[in-house]
Amino acid sequence: QSQLVESGGGLVQPGGSLRLSCVVSGLPSDYYTIAWFRQAPGKEREAVSCIRHDGGSATYADSVRGRFTISRDNANGPVYLQMSSLKPEDTAIYYCAAKEEGTYYVPSLMALEYRYWGLGTQVTVSS
């Protein structure tokens, strides 16, 4: 059974940091891209970042570039999202998602391309 489980969310003050984790299991392939998305109340889901199966390539949305870092230590290992210089507008439920890669890696921040999703973890940035 395919499963993605997020953890690490919480309440943090503006300017603070958090590290989210996404543990993946049961996917039918060893070659999958992992992405982070977020959704704030009353807003559409927004892409944050994605990373290749081996951690060798990362892509970021403009809104988080330079503040967030996505990483994974090895293929099939957990995926992390290190968030720094957090702002109130970063408040949202953060989801990790997975999609199988093709022969050639093409980074994607399109939610519709991701088949497997976690249940999310809440991040609240407030003083």
Side-chain angles (χ1 to χ4, degrees), residues 65-103:
R65 188 177 294 112
R67 300 189 298 122
F68 291 10
T69 302
I70 192 171
S71 64
R72 67 192 315 179
D73 296 332
N74 52 69
N76 303 326
V79 175
Y80 305 102
L81 185 68
Q82 178 68 47
M83 306 185 295
S84 303
S85 302
L86 283 162
K87 306 174 182 180
E89 51 263 43
D90 294 318
T91 296
I93 299 175
Y94 283 70
Y95 301 90
C96 66
K99 76 177 195 75
E100 292 190 53
E101 294 175 4
T103 303

Side-chain angles (χ1 to χ4, degrees), residues 26-58:
L27 293 183
S29 169
D30 290 337
Y31 300 93
Y32 49 88
T33 297
I34 298 294
W36 286 96
F37 294 85
R38 66 186 182 185
Q39 188 165 20
K43 294 188 177 182
E44 293 187 355
R45 184 169 45 193
E46 176 189 16
V48 175
S49 181
C50 69
I51 192 166
R52 197 172 66 188
H53 71 279
D54 61 357
S57 176

